[in-house]
Tab-separated table of all heavy atoms in Angstrom:
chain	number	residue	atom	x	y	z
D	105	GLY	N	9.980	-7.229	32.103
D	105	GLY	CA	8.552	-7.427	32.368
D	105	GLY	C	7.967	-6.542	33.474
D	105	GLY	O	6.790	-6.650	33.867
D	106	TRP	N	8.817	-5.553	33.895
D	106	TRP	CA	8.366	-4.610	34.922
D	106	TRP	C	7.843	-5.250	36.278
D	106	TRP	O	6.906	-4.875	36.856
D	106	TRP	CB	7.259	-3.657	34.393
D	106	TRP	CG	7.689	-2.956	33.169
D	106	TRP	CD1	8.492	-1.854	33.040
D	106	TRP	CD2	7.315	-3.228	31.818
D	106	TRP	NE1	8.566	-1.479	31.781
D	106	TRP	CE2	7.876	-2.301	30.983
D	106	TRP	CE3	6.484	-4.235	31.278
D	106	TRP	CZ2	7.782	-2.349	29.596
D	106	TRP	CZ3	6.254	-4.260	29.897
D	106	TRP	CH2	6.884	-3.242	29.082
D	107	PHE	N	8.534	-6.425	36.549
D	107	PHE	CA	8.260	-7.070	37.887
D	107	PHE	C	9.080	-6.447	38.901
D	107	PHE	O	10.362	-6.206	38.701
D	107	PHE	CB	8.589	-8.532	37.724
D	107	PHE	CG	7.509	-9.288	36.975
D	107	PHE	CD1	7.689	-9.680	35.655
D	107	PHE	CD2	6.383	-9.698	37.637
D	107	PHE	CE1	6.776	-10.353	34.921
D	107	PHE	CE2	5.312	-10.427	36.903
D	107	PHE	CZ	5.554	-10.761	35.581
D	108	TYR	N	8.640	-6.170	40.092
D	108	TYR	CA	9.425	-5.607	41.149
D	108	TYR	C	9.200	-6.341	42.462
D	108	TYR	O	8.035	-6.718	42.767
D	108	TYR	CB	9.101	-4.134	41.363
D	108	TYR	CG	9.540	-3.252	40.276
D	108	TYR	CD1	8.663	-2.985	39.163
D	108	TYR	CD2	10.833	-2.701	40.211
D	108	TYR	CE1	9.065	-2.218	38.189
D	108	TYR	CE2	11.235	-1.875	39.198
D	108	TYR	CZ	10.395	-1.614	38.171
D	108	TYR	OH	10.838	-0.780	37.173
D	109	LYS	N	10.275	-6.356	43.252
D	109	LYS	CA	10.143	-6.663	44.654
D	109	LYS	C	10.129	-5.213	45.291
D	109	LYS	O	10.848	-4.347	44.839
D	109	LYS	CB	11.371	-7.443	45.062
D	109	LYS	CG	11.194	-8.286	46.338
D	109	LYS	CD	12.262	-9.341	46.430
D	109	LYS	CE	12.255	-10.241	47.607
D	109	LYS	NZ	12.131	-9.575	48.889
D	110	THR	N	9.283	-5.070	46.253
D	110	THR	CA	9.135	-3.715	46.826
D	110	THR	C	10.376	-3.112	47.362
D	110	THR	O	10.553	-1.866	47.180
D	110	THR	CB	8.018	-3.685	47.895
D	110	THR	OG1	8.244	-4.637	48.863
D	110	THR	CG2	6.629	-3.840	47.352
D	111	ASP	N	11.258	-3.929	47.885
D	111	ASP	CA	12.505	-3.276	48.417
D	111	ASP	C	13.318	-2.644	47.277
D	111	ASP	O	13.908	-1.582	47.469
D	111	ASP	CB	13.350	-4.283	49.216
D	111	ASP	CG	13.667	-5.562	48.408
D	111	ASP	OD1	13.398	-5.584	47.197
D	111	ASP	OD2	14.312	-6.493	48.945
D	112	LYS	N	13.214	-3.268	46.105
D	112	LYS	CA	13.975	-2.607	45.029
D	112	LYS	C	13.376	-1.328	44.585
D	112	LYS	O	14.105	-0.324	44.250
D	112	LYS	CB	13.908	-3.599	43.829
D	112	LYS	CG	15.089	-3.560	42.860
D	112	LYS	CD	16.316	-4.047	43.517
D	112	LYS	CE	17.580	-3.894	42.673
D	112	LYS	NZ	18.711	-4.463	43.393
D	113	LEU	N	12.090	-1.238	44.605
D	113	LEU	CA	11.387	0.055	44.201
D	113	LEU	C	11.657	1.101	45.316
D	113	LEU	O	11.898	2.256	44.947
D	113	LEU	CB	9.855	-0.210	44.084
D	113	LEU	CG	9.276	-0.370	42.823
D	113	LEU	CD1	7.787	-0.494	42.903
D	113	LEU	CD2	9.726	0.711	41.806
D	114	ARG	N	11.609	0.628	46.592
D	114	ARG	CA	11.796	1.654	47.630
D	114	ARG	C	13.242	2.209	47.531
D	114	ARG	O	13.543	3.379	47.781
D	114	ARG	CB	11.639	0.948	49.002
D	114	ARG	CG	10.206	0.613	49.311
D	114	ARG	CD	10.112	0.004	50.753
D	114	ARG	NE	8.911	-0.703	51.007
D	114	ARG	CZ	7.748	-0.176	51.309
D	114	ARG	NH1	7.676	1.265	51.553
D	114	ARG	NH2	6.677	-0.862	51.546
D	115	ALA	N	14.191	1.334	47.107
D	115	ALA	CA	15.565	1.807	47.072
D	115	ALA	C	15.793	2.910	45.998
D	115	ALA	O	16.448	3.939	46.265
D	115	ALA	CB	16.493	0.586	46.707
D	116	ILE	N	15.047	2.799	44.845
D	116	ILE	CA	15.181	3.832	43.845
D	116	ILE	C	14.490	5.134	44.334
D	116	ILE	O	15.021	6.286	44.078
D	116	ILE	CB	14.714	3.329	42.524
D	116	ILE	CG1	15.434	4.260	41.395
D	116	ILE	CG2	13.258	3.367	42.334
D	116	ILE	CD1	15.163	3.776	40.034
D	117	CYS	N	13.465	5.021	45.031
D	117	CYS	CA	12.745	6.105	45.658
D	117	CYS	C	13.751	6.909	46.591
D	117	CYS	O	13.783	8.121	46.586
D	117	CYS	CB	11.513	5.682	46.409
D	117	CYS	SG	10.219	5.082	45.310
D	118	GLU	N	14.421	6.145	47.352
D	118	GLU	CA	15.351	6.766	48.288
D	118	GLU	C	16.370	7.669	47.567
D	118	GLU	O	16.608	8.765	47.878
D	118	GLU	CB	16.141	5.502	48.889
D	118	GLU	CG	16.606	5.814	50.310
D	118	GLU	CD	15.446	5.749	51.285
D	118	GLU	OE1	14.264	5.498	50.877
D	118	GLU	OE2	15.672	5.885	52.488
D	119	VAL	N	16.960	7.007	46.520
D	119	VAL	CA	17.955	7.775	45.760
D	119	VAL	C	17.367	9.001	45.146
D	119	VAL	O	17.905	10.137	45.218
D	119	VAL	CB	18.608	6.922	44.719
D	119	VAL	CG1	19.665	7.773	43.834
D	119	VAL	CG2	19.279	5.694	45.264
D	120	TRP	N	16.237	8.803	44.585
D	120	TRP	CA	15.544	9.873	43.814
D	120	TRP	C	15.072	10.992	44.728
D	120	TRP	O	15.115	12.174	44.357
D	120	TRP	CB	14.483	9.330	42.945
D	120	TRP	CG	14.042	10.347	41.836
D	120	TRP	CD1	12.774	10.747	41.732
D	120	TRP	CD2	14.833	11.054	40.998
D	120	TRP	NE1	12.704	11.678	40.704
D	120	TRP	CE2	13.986	11.843	40.224
D	120	TRP	CE3	16.173	11.152	40.695
D	120	TRP	CZ2	14.404	12.776	39.290
D	120	TRP	CZ3	16.678	11.984	39.818
D	120	TRP	CH2	15.783	12.747	39.067
D	121	GLU	N	14.620	10.624	45.858
D	121	GLU	CA	14.217	11.688	46.811
D	121	GLU	C	15.421	12.518	47.245
D	121	GLU	O	15.290	13.709	47.316
D	121	GLU	CB	13.529	11.128	48.016
D	121	GLU	CG	13.410	12.087	49.125
D	121	GLU	CD	12.083	11.958	49.897
D	121	GLU	OE1	11.460	10.861	49.826
D	121	GLU	OE2	11.584	13.008	50.473
D	122	LYS	N	16.550	11.881	47.348
D	122	LYS	CA	17.718	12.614	47.803
D	122	LYS	C	18.283	13.554	46.686
D	122	LYS	O	18.595	14.663	46.921
D	122	LYS	CB	18.816	11.582	48.147
D	122	LYS	CG	20.099	12.161	48.658
D	122	LYS	CD	21.022	11.166	49.453
D	122	LYS	CE	22.339	11.866	49.720
D	122	LYS	NZ	23.346	10.713	49.898
D	123	TYR	N	18.416	12.987	45.429
D	123	TYR	CA	19.046	13.803	44.431
D	123	TYR	C	18.194	14.586	43.496
D	123	TYR	O	18.566	15.589	42.859
D	123	TYR	CB	20.042	12.885	43.611
D	123	TYR	CG	21.204	12.411	44.364
D	123	TYR	CD1	21.138	11.131	44.951
D	123	TYR	CD2	22.225	13.213	44.657
D	123	TYR	CE1	22.197	10.595	45.738
D	123	TYR	CE2	23.393	12.689	45.381
D	123	TYR	CZ	23.245	11.350	45.938
D	123	TYR	OH	24.308	10.938	46.666
D	124	GLY	N	16.960	14.069	43.238
D	124	GLY	CA	16.195	14.668	42.245
D	124	GLY	C	14.853	15.300	42.691
D	124	GLY	O	14.702	15.630	43.844
D	125	SER	N	13.976	15.370	41.717
D	125	SER	CA	12.688	16.173	42.060
D	125	SER	C	11.739	15.221	42.807
D	125	SER	O	10.741	15.690	43.308
D	125	SER	CB	11.993	16.382	40.711
D	125	SER	OG	11.524	15.174	40.135
D	126	GLY	N	12.073	13.940	42.850
D	126	GLY	CA	11.154	12.945	43.505
D	126	GLY	C	9.993	12.527	42.605
D	126	GLY	O	9.131	11.791	43.055
D	127	LEU	N	9.927	13.077	41.391
D	127	LEU	CA	8.898	12.654	40.417
D	127	LEU	C	9.468	11.650	39.475
D	127	LEU	O	10.697	11.836	38.975
D	127	LEU	CB	8.388	13.862	39.661
D	127	LEU	CG	7.606	14.941	40.484
D	127	LEU	CD1	7.172	16.088	39.556
D	127	LEU	CD2	6.356	14.275	41.105
Side-chain angles (χ1 to χ4, degrees):
Chain D
W106 304 283
F107 284 100
Y108 290 92
K109 203 160 182 306
T110 50
D111 55 4
K112 207 74 185 179
L113 260 185
R114 290 185 198 273
I116 200 171
C117 290
E118 211 74 356
V119 176
W120 192 235
E121 166 139 25
K122 182 163 172 206
Y123 293 99
S125 70
L127 293 179

